[in-house]
Amino acid sequence: ERQPAVAQVLYPGLESHPNHEVAARQMRDFGGMISFLVESQAAAVDVVGKTRLWTLAESLGGVESLIEHPAEMTHASLAGSGFEVPDDLIRLSVGIEHPDDLVADLERMLAAAR
């Protein structure tokens, strides 16, 4: 949330999430799926294209850390339907790599995309 290149983080484990209290009552942990918005579609494409550690993938169910740009991947067919996802949305599935390595790669990708 403090990263300048990130407009909004969508994760129920954050107290700032509008449904955090509901999630906290229903979940023991909050899971490894995280989404965030950047400033534009071009920035989102740029960010996911600069990954070194995250694997670009449409299916986010592996043990490795995965990243996707849903507007151009999994949800591209919904464009203009009223059900589309924001074109500046990036989705992450955190895998088994060391958290410090994942954070460092995200910080590098976001810094390079500015």
Side-chain angles (χ1 to χ4, degrees), residues 35-99:
S35 298
F36 61 95
L37 303 170
V38 291
E39 67 181 40
S40 66
Q41 180 175 359
V45 170
D46 195 29
V47 167
V48 299
K50 292 187 181 320
T51 182
R52 290 185 186 154
L53 188 59
W54 300 80
T55 300
L56 188 62
E58 289 197 8
S59 173
L60 301 182
V63 297
E64 69 277 20
S65 292
L66 306 169
I67 189 169
E68 76 159 333
H69 178 235
E72 292 190 356
M73 296 172 71
T74 56
H75 293 69
S77 64
L78 298 176
S81 71
F83 297 104
E84 61 270 15
V85 298
D87 61 9
D88 57 347
L89 178 75
I90 296 172
R91 287 181 25 179
L92 305 173
S93 175
V94 179
I96 60 172
E97 297 86 359
H98 195 282

